[in-house]
Amino acid sequence: MRPSARALAGALAAAVALATIPGTALGHALGETFQLPVPLALYLGGAAAAVAASFVVTALVARRVGEPSYPTRPVPTAIASIARLVLQTLGLVWWYGAILAGFLIGDISLLPAALFWVGIWVGLPIVAVLLGNPWPSLSPFRTTFAELEWLGRRIGFERLDAGLRYPPGLARWPAVALLAIGLWGELVLPGGATAATVAWLLLGYTILTLVGMTLFGQVAWLRHAELFEVMLGWFGRLGPIGRRVVVPTVCEGCHEDCRPDRCIDCPECATAADDDERQPILRPWIVGLAEVDRAGWSDAAFIVLALAGVTFDGMEETAFGARLLAFVQPIVINLLGPTANAFTLADTVVFLVVVVAFFVAFLVVVWITHALADPSTRRPLADTAGAYAATLLPIAGGYLIAHYLTAVIQVVVWLPDLLADPLLSFAPPIDWIPIELVWYVSVVAIVGGHVAAIVLAHRHALRDAPARPVLTGLPMVALMIGYTVLSLWIIAQPIVIEPGTAPPAAVVHH
């Protein structure tokens, strides 16, 4: 077992003893409460100690960093081909079906919102974390563009795209902007779940994506600007199913030292080849992130924004979130009056406050980490930011599971009836899932994600400052411990019942 693998195993063992303290359970789609057998402060302290212990174990065991090496097994070609065809068909029906349902059925139907906001927006990232990235096959844009190219060749066009060069300076900033718009639409926009709004959003994004692919080419646009390609490509690096380029050819835009023969869902090459030119493989969880060497400011901004978005969603359910909104609302109302726009602007301001706080905390930690690195091995600040932002992905993945898994399960159970009758207004309860199980899954997902993030961050510290990796890694460890406490506190707040207190009469869930 390599040092990094031993460190991960030891750190997980250290975390389990402290992280499995019973407590409140996340009830995103459940209406029950779970009595805390210990004070909340003790439970949060135990989780923080678990993450800190994982850093100590990692620092003691992992003393050097080498080339990422782990076992892989190819997925049989027949199974991969069948899965690809099924996913391509499902992607077309799923995406365009949501658009048609939104326009044809009317706003009384929750089907489009269930298909998009739950199924695609939060469901697919969870699938990517647990299994792997399905989007290269599922993407309706890849399939649609391929069909348009085929049709163009039949009528005499040699190529469909205009051949414009994607501006290198834009990097992945278009995807960052689209993620910000999507988060605002999900969390702030009034009526964002109505059928017509969902349909217009999906139709507009479809046109934007196909136009972008036509102007700049499929590879360049998908790699840099297609929101779901970027988002699921990052989260997919956590999952055990990856893709390896079959033909080792250097793709457009790759760096000179790129090695496509061992490229597995890397940010530079993930969309370089058609899906049928990449071989699905099985690999251990998380290890796909060990190969992240080249990521810049736009990648860092994308990952931190995704983390801030899911945190804001959870924080809205807490008393702190309510107090923050209550502080901002009167100020905005005094400026604009008690209008709907004023309330929307107040929500937007609170959202921006959370996002800015996340970015400031991350930038301060990255700057300190960069300053502590050895001058002889120090990377540019942008590379440091991108690399350490990628280590936050296990945390984001764990919080996605803790915060949204029950909602996704509820919609999966509800979907057959909703497809049969799109006018159904209420999702079925899923109280058959033990509340204790939901809690333990949430704690393991969050603490386990933080432990994996600690190991990945220490790997970068070993490379950037081999003489003092522990000192260099301390700022990021402090950030991760702080976020461990924050995230577990957030998921506990809606249904916290501490020892010696009476249960509330009713619990309202998002």
Side-chain angles (χ1 to χ4, degrees), residues 283-438:
R283 63 190 179 192
W285 266 286
I286 309 295
V287 298
L289 287 171
E291 295 186 337
V292 177
D293 290 325
R294 295 189 179 275
W297 283 117
S298 62
D299 298 289
F302 189 94
I303 295 169
V304 173
L305 179 59
L307 199 59
V310 70
T311 302
F312 172 78
D313 191 15
M315 191 175 293
E316 282 188 307
E317 299 179 357
T318 68
F320 173 78
R323 286 195 297 268
L324 183 59
L325 184 60
F327 173 78
V328 173
Q329 275 185 345
I331 299 175
V332 177
I333 290 175
N334 287 336
L335 294 174
L336 302 181
T339 64
N341 290 335
F343 289 100
T344 301
L345 181 58
D347 288 338
T348 303
V349 170
V350 175
F351 172 64
L352 291 176
V353 167
V354 174
V355 170
V356 170
F358 267 69
F359 274 105
V360 169
F362 176 75
L363 290 175
V364 169
V365 167
V366 166
W367 183 84
I368 297 174
T369 301
H370 185 261
L372 291 173
D374 295 336
S376 60
T377 57
R378 181 184 296 158
R379 290 176 284 183
L381 184 58
D383 290 351
T384 302
Y388 280 99
T391 67
L392 299 175
L393 283 166
I395 298 175
Y399 196 18
L400 278 171
I401 294 171
H403 192 62
Y404 292 119
L405 183 59
T406 53
V408 172
I409 293 174
Q410 186 177 40
V411 168
V412 169
V413 172
W414 188 32
L415 193 57
D417 292 335
L418 189 59
L419 289 171
D421 183 4
L423 301 183
L424 289 176
S425 301
F426 298 99
I430 53 172
D431 48 9
W432 44 270
I433 299 179
I435 195 72
E436 295 86 354
L437 176 62
V438 174

Side-chain angles (χ1 to χ4, degrees), residues 143-208:
T143 306
T144 300
F145 196 77
E147 295 300 323
L148 291 175
E149 284 187 318
W150 176 84
L151 181 61
R153 287 192 295 268
R154 293 292 298 268
I155 60 178
F157 289 97
E158 183 178 348
R159 54 185 295 177
L160 186 60
D161 65 88
L164 299 180
R165 185 171 183 263
Y166 184 86
L170 279 181
R172 292 190 175 86
W173 290 112
V176 176
L178 288 169
L179 176 60
I181 294 171
L183 289 172
W184 184 83
E186 176 205 6
L187 303 173
V188 177
L189 178 65
T194 60
T197 301
V198 172
W200 280 113
L201 286 174
L202 297 188
L203 179 60
Y205 185 70
T206 301
I207 295 172
L208 172 67

